[in-house]
Amino acid sequence: MMRTRWSIATRAVLALAVGVALVAGACGGDDDDTTDSGGTATAGVTIRLGFSAWPGWFPWQVADEKGLFAKAGLDVDLTYFESYTDSLNALNAGKLDANSQTLNDTISSVGAGAEEVVVLANDNSTGNDQIIVKPGIASVADLKGKKVGVEEGTVDHFLLLLGLEKAGLKPEDVDIQPLLTDAAASAFAAGQLDAVGVFAPFTTKALELPGSKALFTSADFPGSIPDHLVFGKGFVKDHPDEVQKLVDVWFDTLAYIEQYKEESVAIMAKRAGVTPEEYADYDKGTTVFSEEDNVAAFAPGGDMSHLDFAARSMATFLVGAGLVKEEPDLTTLLEPRFITAAGTS
């Protein structure tokens, strides 16, 4: 089980994959899929949907196992990725039609040339991304000169930089140890690092170090780590009915989970590789968005609770931190029409 965030070293490879996917897309879609002149999808459309280990995405497992895709008339090929990075690769290479991913990764992907559209806000991380420190470190200022393990280019690297900036520190003020998220958690638990940036469920491993604690979390930076359902733009154009149905299924799934909580938690915990009790703790650090939350998030606004503002702020920050070369065009990144029509199709 591993939800690794997109590392900087992966971007050159992904840029090539994006180019291949864009050329393939320009040459046409699957031969079995057709649309009428109005763009309404006909029979034979399969949605290839990817997700990985994050509490806000495990409801897709419930939808699959309880037959909610089929009930909505959808043919969904759901793929779970042990590596989150592999899911990003698959979407960029055209091997997926949609993926569950963070806003910062989507912005980076668009900056590399991908044509992707955010159609749904699954959740916000409100505590499940954490900067965890060993005993004796009481403030962000205490991180100066310390070894901090984090997977470079990930949301937890982003969270670390936000915390340093707020405390008046620069990235070079700490000794960043670039490690995959699972390896970083293990190294910290073994006492090899002073601090680590990880997300649930790897927070559990990191906190095995006696006396360790979360110095700050995503809860301290509301809206900084939103998670989404992202489609390739071509699929949205050709198959809007299927996109709408999938968005509707998401909210049907949330209702099912609310009604059958114990059964649903068991399904999600099994997929996560943790106990139902451990999974319940992860729920506390993830705020899953309702239809109303989505409508508010997609509406234009002037703070991080609004996706347009969050996307612009994140793009600017990523450039300033050297994680992307230049701010991409975000004018077509957000597509609110499916949220607006949710439940009416």
Side-chain angles (χ1 to χ4, degrees):
M1 174 179 57
M2 180 165 62
R3 173 187 174 241
T4 55
R5 294 300 193 182
W6 190 2
S7 64
I8 298 171
T10 308
R11 289 190 179 122
V13 176
L14 290 182
L16 293 176
V18 169
V20 172
L22 293 178
V23 170
C27 293
D30 295 339
D31 292 338
D32 293 337
D33 296 345
T34 58
T35 59
D36 63 24
S37 58
T40 302
T42 58
V45 178
T46 298
I47 300 177
R48 299 168 299 170
L49 172 62
F51 76 117
S52 47
W54 174 248
W57 298 332
F58 285 128
W60 290 128
Q61 188 71 30
V62 176
D64 190 47
E65 292 192 23
K66 303 313 297 183
L68 301 182
F69 294 133
K71 183 178 179 181
L74 286 174
D75 180 9
V76 175
D77 179 9
L78 183 67
T79 301
Y80 177 77
F81 289 84
E82 293 287 346
S83 166
Y84 171 72
T85 301
D86 287 347
S87 74
L88 294 168
N89 280 339
L91 181 62
N92 281 302
K95 295 180 180 179
L96 290 176
D97 301 305
N99 190 42
S100 301
Q101 57 192 60
T102 66
L103 183 58
N104 78 305
D105 291 314
T106 304
I107 291 172
S108 295
S109 188
V110 170
E115 294 189 347
E116 297 179 356
V117 181
V118 175
V119 301
L120 167 72
N122 300 112
D123 67 272
N124 265 197
S125 175
T126 50
N128 272 339
D129 289 272
Q130 302 180 2
I131 304 302
I132 298 173
V133 296
K134 70 179 185 180
I137 296 178
S139 68
V140 178
D142 292 338
L143 289 176
K144 190 169 184 178
K146 299 295 194 299
K147 290 183 179 180
V148 183
V150 69
E151 185 168 353
E152 290 186 301
T154 67
V155 290
D156 295 296
H157 186 194
F158 178 55
L159 177 64
L160 172 65
L161 296 180
L162 286 174
L164 293 176
E165 181 183 54
K166 184 177 180 180
L169 296 179
K170 298 178 181 179
E172 54 267 28
D173 288 330
V174 299
D175 181 9
I176 291 180
Q177 303 289 304
L179 295 166
L180 294 178
T181 300
D182 54 346
S186 296
F188 178 79
Q192 299 168 6
L193 299 167
D194 299 305
V196 67
V198 288
F199 53 84
F202 300 110
T203 49
T204 300
K205 178 63 179 179
L207 289 168
E208 289 178 3
L209 180 71
S212 61
K213 64 178 182 181
L215 184 62
F216 61 91
T217 77
S218 50
D220 297 304
F221 297 92
S224 62
I225 306 179
D227 298 304
H228 306 292
L229 173 61
V230 178
F231 270 91
K233 187 178 294 184
F235 192 94
V236 173
K237 177 179 180 296
D238 293 339
H239 308 295
D241 285 358
E242 278 64 32
V243 176
Q244 185 66 65
K245 289 179 181 178
L246 188 62
V247 170
D248 290 345
V249 165
W250 174 258
F251 295 116
D252 291 342
T253 303
L254 297 185
Y256 183 93
I257 291 171
E258 183 65 26
Q259 184 174 0
Y260 303 101
K261 188 72 173 180
E262 185 174 350
E263 175 192 25
S264 298
V265 168
I267 291 172
M268 294 186 289
K270 182 179 179 181
R271 176 72 277 180
V274 298
T275 67
E277 291 75 22
E278 288 173 325
Y279 191 88
D281 286 338
Y282 301 149
D283 263 354
K284 301 172 185 176
T286 306
T287 301
V288 177
F289 275 25
S290 66
E291 290 181 45
E292 293 77 12
D293 292 332
N294 266 270
V295 170
F298 275 90
D303 59 48
M304 292 294 283
S305 68
H306 298 272
L307 292 178
D308 63 333
F309 182 91
R312 292 192 303 269
S313 300
M314 196 169 294
T316 300
F317 188 93
L318 291 172
V319 171
L323 300 179
V324 296
K325 291 183 178 180
E326 59 183 9
E327 292 186 26
D329 181 3
L330 303 177
T331 54
T332 61
L333 177 66
L334 306 175
E335 179 47 84
R337 60 178 160 137
F338 301 106
I339 289 302
T340 302
T344 64
S345 61

